[in-house]
Amino acid sequence: MNEKIYKTMTRTGACSLAVGIVTLTTGIAAGILMIISGARLLKRKSDILI
């Protein structure tokens, strides 16, 4: 019986870790895209001002 509980906990922990990594990666990617978008916007505004 203890072996079944341990296997279930291991799988649940692995799934939680995988979800956390995907969430972190998605958040980092979204942040990078926002920075790039902001830089492009600033470049366009500076081109207009010159």
Side-chain angles (χ1 to χ4, degrees):
M1 183 170 164
N2 289 336
E3 188 176 323
K4 288 182 181 180
I5 293 172
Y6 178 73
K7 284 182 180 179
T8 303
M9 289 177 67
T10 304
R11 287 183 192 149
T12 304
C15 289
S16 297
L17 179 62
V19 168
I21 290 171
V22 169
T23 303
L24 177 65
T25 306
T26 304
I28 291 171
I32 291 171
L33 289 175
M34 287 175 63
I35 291 169
I36 291 170
S37 176
R40 286 181 179 161
L41 181 62
L42 287 174
K43 183 178 181 329
R44 276 193 230 133
K45 284 190 175 188
S46 67
D47 287 347
I48 292 169
L49 293 174
I50 294 176

